[in-house]
Amino acid sequence: MTTILKNLRELDTRLARGEITDVEYTARKSALLDSVDVVETDFVDVTPQPPAQPVEVAERELSGSMTWGFGIVVCLGVLGVCLCFAMLVFGDINLALTLGVTILAALTVALFRSLEE
């Protein structure tokens, strides 16, 4: 098979250099491809199939992904509330951002701990 590929690449190179014409290229390529014997094989699918999961496991996985989404929404909501509150109280954007990000980090750590359990 590698010999055929090598010959095809050589034909492509010769065509690119202009050593052969398009008609010669097509004729030689078709002759080369016709010289290949086609072998029919029946392949057996040996890929391992995962065992069927019980319904409880599937529900827990769905619940886990829903927890992630809900956790992200809650974290962004809390970050927005903290930023608004800090801006109203302190009037300093740097302090508001620091407070909001700190609370968001604490909530993220709490979310990861709850997902580990």
Side-chain angles (χ1 to χ4, degrees), residues 102-114:
T102 303
I103 292 174
L104 181 62
L107 288 174
T108 304
V109 169
L111 177 66
F112 282 131
R113 285 187 181 170
S114 70

Side-chain angles (χ1 to χ4, degrees), residues 41-114:
T41 59
D42 294 329
F43 290 104
V44 178
D45 186 18
V46 292
T47 55
Q49 299 295 328
Q53 295 179 345
V55 176
E56 299 87 28
V57 174
E59 287 177 359
R60 270 190 271 139
E61 288 178 3
L62 180 62
S63 173
S65 64
M66 289 175 62
T67 302
W68 271 97
F70 183 70
I72 290 172
V73 169
V74 167
C75 287
L76 291 176
V78 169
L79 178 65
V81 169
C82 289
L83 288 175
C84 291
F85 178 73
M87 280 300 293
L88 288 174
V89 173
F90 302 114
D92 183 16
I93 188 71
N94 290 331
L95 187 59
L97 288 173
T98 303
L99 179 64
V101 169
T102 303
I103 292 174
L104 181 62
L107 288 174
T108 304
V109 169
L111 177 66
F112 282 131
R113 285 187 181 170
S114 70

